[in-house]
Amino acid sequence: QVQLVQSGAEVKKPGASVKVSCKASGYTFTREAMHWVRQAPGQRLEWMGWIDARNGNTKYSQTFQGRVTITRDTSASTASMELSSLTSEDTAVYYCARVELTVGGYYFDYWGQGTLVTVSS
Amino acid sequence: QSALTQPRSVSGSPGQSVTISCSGTSSNVGGYNFVSWYQQHPGKAPKLMIYDVTKRPSGVPDRFSGSKSGNTASLTISGLQAEDEADYYCCSYAGDYSFVFGGGTKLTVL
């Protein structure tokens, strides 16, 4: 069965960077895409960007352009999201979510458990 | 991309039906048949309930249905049950390999 397991909670100071990982299992990682979505406390879901695990191509939301980098390690079936220049407004739960490119999917069928990132001085 | 517009809250009694709307533009909801809906219980990850406007993933009860007219998509839940109480989010493909979510709707089962 498909599983996405994310790295643990992080506490960072303003101005720092954070890197969250997402290990995939139960499917062929390099055939599909991995997206990142965040949710600030009590707020809506916010799409951040994605990586095509087939070739490493990325696309980022304009909201995060220049601050976010999404990468993949095909040998480890892992996608990662790094967010820089953190402020308190980046305090949120960060989710990875799969999109099944092989069926022409435009929806997130499996989600990681979420990683809480707290930005505090 | 501005968020899609959803009502902040809806409510209904057990057994009743409720509909949640999701308004966008011709650049997202109206321009593509790629609207999906997610259910989120407190402290949990979202769960896919509807995709491609009207399709239900395996395991999702047929009480959940989706539709679209113009720039507005809708999620209808019939035969409300207590476990349906959750937050619901719509999401649309917005072209150029980008996506946009709605603001979320809190469903209360009275």
Side-chain angles (χ1 to χ4, degrees):
Chain A
Q1 71 285 19
V2 174
Q3 280 193 308
L4 304 178
V5 179
Q6 298 182 221
S7 51
E10 303 263 13
V11 178
K12 295 293 183 180
K13 293 193 181 302
S17 297
V18 67
K19 190 170 186 177
V20 180
S21 66
C22 172
K23 182 169 179 58
S25 61
Y27 71 98
T28 303
F29 176 75
T30 50
R31 289 185 181 175
E32 316 298 357
M34 196 70 76
H35 291 240
W36 290 86
V37 176
R38 81 172 185 181
Q39 187 172 38
Q43 301 300 310
R44 70 179 186 93
L45 300 172
E46 188 172 23
W47 180 76
M48 299 181 70
W50 68 285
I51 187 165
D52 186 336
R54 299 171 300 184
N55 53 30
N57 289 347
T58 55
K59 172 72 176 182
Y60 303 125
S61 165
Q62 289 182 358
T63 302
F64 302 98
Q65 190 78 39
R67 282 209 304 142
V68 66
T69 303
I70 299 174
T71 57
R72 83 204 196 287
D73 179 348
T74 57
S75 65
S77 297
T78 297
S80 298
M81 184 283 301
E82 184 170 19
L83 188 63
S84 62
S85 303
L86 294 169
T87 72
S88 59
E89 296 189 347
D90 294 314
T91 293
V93 175
Y94 290 77
Y95 293 100
C96 59
R98 187 187 80 156
V99 166
E100 198 173 13
L101 296 173
T102 48
V103 299
Y106 288 83
Y107 50 89
F108 312 110
D109 58 355
Y110 287 92
W111 294 67
Q113 82 275 21
T115 296
L116 175 62
V117 174
T118 303
V119 183
S120 174
S121 55
Chain B
Q1 281 274 0
S2 299
L4 306 176
T5 301
Q6 298 181 232
R8 297 201 68 166
S9 64
V10 297
S11 62
S13 299
Q16 289 186 333
S17 294
V18 296
T19 296
I20 300 170
S21 61
C22 170
S23 295
T25 70
S26 58
S27 296
N28 41 62
V29 174
Y32 308 93
N33 288 322
F34 297 134
V35 175
S36 50
W37 290 89
Y38 302 87
Q39 177 191 66
Q40 186 180 36
H41 287 109
K44 300 295 187 182
K47 174 186 176 184
L48 177 67
M49 304 302 284
I50 295 287
Y51 66 98
D52 294 353
V53 179
T54 62
K55 299 175 183 177
R56 270 180 295 105
S58 173
V60 172
D62 59 6
R63 303 184 294 104
F64 291 83
S65 63
S67 62
K68 190 183 85 167
S69 177
N71 295 336
T72 300
S74 299
L75 172 70
T76 297
I77 308 171
S78 58
L80 269 180
Q81 299 183 2
E83 60 261 34
D84 299 334
E85 185 163 297
D87 293 328
Y88 290 84
Y89 292 90
C90 61
C91 181
S92 176
Y93 180 65
D96 194 25
Y97 305 101
S98 67
F99 291 79
V100 61
F101 281 95
T105 299
K106 181 177 180 58
L107 169 63
T108 301
V109 180
L110 301 170

